[in-house]
Amino acid sequence: MPEDDLILDEIALATLRSNPALWQAFLTVQAPWIDAGVVRWLDLVHADGPWPVFVVAAWQPERPMELLGTVVGVWAAAPITRFDDLLEQRCPQGHGGADRPTGGVWHFIAATVAPAGQHLNLGRRLVGAALAWLTAHVSGAEARTLSPAVGLPRLLALLEDPQGTREAVLHVANSKGQPALDILRLHLGAGATLEAILLNSRRDEARSQQVTLRFAYATDVAAREAQKARYHAWLARRAEQVAGGAARPLADPALWQVAEAGDVDVAAF
């Protein structure tokens, strides 16, 4: 399937929930979340839901009922520090699902690619489409993600340090210097910075030890491209540690513990 043979666009919440085939297609994409018991967030995806929400999806023009991937945006007045607040509270400003407030922060969640959409760089393309939606449809808003640190418990075990969350997130790397956690490679590689590690943020997510990573995206394309360059320089510095024997090998032969290598280039804390 050619990469360009796709539509990436918003699906109106009312359409998504009123069309049973489309809603089922959306749920099919979310199978990794549903299979892991992470389902409460689906209640946000509703035109009269408790917080403003948008959905961007990818599909082939001839198969609009077979979604290849999705990303969901949730608005709040300020950056969210506890993911579960979105599930246990209503928007304090009184806005609902279909509202499009001025300013504030849109948080991207559930950037999910179906098996048929693999190998199309679709995760980053969906995030790019969500950023394009934001700049086209709302005024003065910022962009963040709320991303579970899936795979974190295994890294903590490799480090033999149950309290070493920051070390596991930032300093466990492969031979190319890339972070061990897939979610960091997705967002840092797309031009984001890691803004915060949020502990005890999401009780449904055992795969992440309940940790949420909040990434910040510039809405300006040039700024994101400049950030990508800083990220790749950071990777190169870490790869040099591995190649030069300065990194500590871990029990997984594909992973090393690297030292601080200018983390300020990719992490804003």
Side-chain angles (χ1 to χ4, degrees), residues 14 28 37 161 228 233 257:
T28 298
D161 182 1
K228 288 181 190 179
Q257 183 181 7

Side-chain angles (χ1 to χ4, degrees), residues 175 235-246:
S175 62
L235 295 185
R237 293 192 294 270
R238 289 150 56 97
E240 288 175 3
Q241 290 185 32
V242 176

